[in-house]
């Protein structure tokens, strides 16, 4: 964890959550006590159908709310899509972009992710730009090259460092219970920081770089202690308030 960057623990609910599950937000809110809130930022990214309700449930708590994707344009004839402006209107302050489940399942390219990040900035949202290598890329020794290439292609030139979040999520670690070694995480996060510095100069120190992929209460402390790991992007464990809060407490370095 570098100096000056507040840890951010973000929950990605993915395609999970009905109105019946909104109590989860109340439970997270109840556990986000002033001591924790002083040192760790929380972000909850529900499915878009729940954005407004989650934003209402989180109002005044300091818990930020985010979307999981956004179309590059502000409005138009794009059936089924949502714009960054719509997410902001529903109460979002952040948006996850380029998650591997969208890069793979929806054929999203770096260029498209960058356009979406432009859109987020236009709408006043903080983009959470996801990168990460596949198992074949890691085993082929190409992980660093792939991920730094994704950073080059996906992060807009005019991104404001203090309003930009990058999430490193190795594809093979998502939902599998497998995580990279601490040494591999340290190497990758340092490489991402260096790539950002080449783009942004000294401001790159302000970008928060999250680790994601099978983060659980049992491994969070170890992963979050790694240099240049400024928080976590949590999938499955974010659907259990006690687990999400335990991960948030593991991020507290105060
Ligand atoms: P899991 O924590 O379920 O592995 O998911 C990680 C993820 O994809 C968060 O965006």
């Amino acid at each position: 964890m570098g100096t000056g960057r507040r840890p951010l623990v973000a929950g990605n609910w993915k395609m999970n959550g009905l109105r019946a599950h909104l109590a989860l937000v109340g439970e997270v809110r109840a556990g986000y006590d002033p001591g924790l809130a002083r040192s760790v930022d929380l972000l909850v990214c529900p499915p878009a159908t729940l954005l407004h309700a989650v934003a209402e449930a989180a109002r005044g708590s300091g818990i930020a709310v985010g979307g999981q994707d956004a179309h590059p344009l502000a409005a138009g004839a794009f059936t089924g899509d949502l714009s960054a402006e719509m997410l902001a209107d529903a109460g979002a302050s952040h948006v996850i972009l380029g998650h591997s489940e969208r890069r793979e399942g929806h054929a999203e390219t770096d260029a498209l992710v960058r356009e979406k990040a432009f859109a987020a900035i236009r709408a006043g949202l903080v983009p959470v730009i996801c990168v990460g290598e596949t198992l074949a890329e890691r085993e082929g020794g190409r992980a660093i090259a792939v991920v730094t290439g994704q950073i080059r292609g996906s992060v807009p030139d005019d991104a404001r460092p203090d309003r930009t979040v990058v999430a490193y999520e190795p594809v093979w670690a998502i939902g599998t219970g497998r995580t990279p070694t601490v040494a591999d995480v340290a190497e990758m996060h340092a490489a991402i920081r260096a790539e950002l510095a080449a783009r942004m100069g000294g401001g790159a120190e302000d970008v928060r770089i999250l680790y994601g992929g099978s983060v659980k209460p049992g491994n969070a402390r170890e992963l979050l202690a790694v240099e240049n790991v400024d928080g976590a992007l949590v999938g499955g464990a974010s659907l259990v308030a006690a687990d999400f809060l335990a991960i948030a407490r593991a991020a507290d370095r105060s």
Side-chain angles (χ1 to χ4, degrees):
M1 195 89 57
T3 48
R5 294 188 296 271
R6 275 172 66 82
L8 170 65
V9 173
N12 175 9
W13 290 12
K14 309 191 177 185
M15 197 174 74
N16 296 291
L18 303 172
R19 282 184 301 156
H21 301 120
L22 285 170
L24 175 57
V25 183
E27 289 166 29
V28 171
R29 181 182 180 132
Y32 190 46
D33 57 59
L36 188 55
R38 247 193 311 279
S39 42
V40 177
D41 289 338
L42 286 191
L43 168 65
V44 172
C45 300
T49 47
L50 292 183
L51 259 181
H52 187 250
V54 169
E56 287 300 310
R59 184 189 290 277
S61 67
I63 299 170
V65 178
Q68 299 178 9
D69 178 44
H71 191 279
L73 298 179
F78 303 100
T79 302
D81 282 317
L82 295 169
S83 71
E85 281 77 2
M86 290 169 177
L87 302 179
D89 189 50
S93 55
H94 292 64
V95 60
I96 296 170
L97 297 172
H99 191 283
S100 64
E101 288 153 13
R102 296 207 59 87
R103 288 179 185 264
E104 286 188 347
H106 299 262
E108 292 196 1
T109 60
D110 287 336
L112 179 58
V113 175
R114 177 156 50 177
E115 278 186 60
K116 292 181 171 198
F118 271 125
I121 294 165
R122 179 190 69 223
L125 300 179
V126 174
V128 179
I129 301 169
C130 301
V131 294
E133 82 284 0
T134 64
L135 187 59
E137 289 163 345
R138 164 122 338 237
E139 288 177 342
R142 301 196 306 280
I144 299 267
V146 166
V147 169
T148 52
Q150 288 173 331
I151 294 285
R152 267 194 302 283
S154 308
V155 178
D157 287 331
D158 64 347
R160 241 183 72 180
D162 61 336
R163 289 184 57 78
T164 300
V165 176
V166 167
Y168 167 57
E169 300 202 305
V171 177
W172 52 273
I174 294 174
T176 60
R178 296 181 59 190
T179 53
T181 64
V182 160
D184 284 343
V185 173
E187 181 187 34
M188 184 61 82
H189 279 238
I192 292 171
R193 182 81 61 205
E195 187 61 44
L196 291 169
R199 306 278 306 279
M200 298 173 161
E205 284 299 312
D206 292 336
V207 176
R208 290 190 281 190
I209 307 174
L210 313 184
Y211 169 78
S214 295
V215 179
K216 308 286 178 207
N219 61 18
R221 197 165 295 278
E222 183 181 47
L223 290 164
L224 288 162
V226 175
E227 195 173 355
N228 284 306
V229 174
D230 306 311
L233 181 54
V234 185
S238 73
L239 298 171
V240 178
D243 288 355
F244 189 55
L245 286 163
I247 293 166
R249 283 192 294 273
D252 187 352
R253 324 295 308 291
S254 63

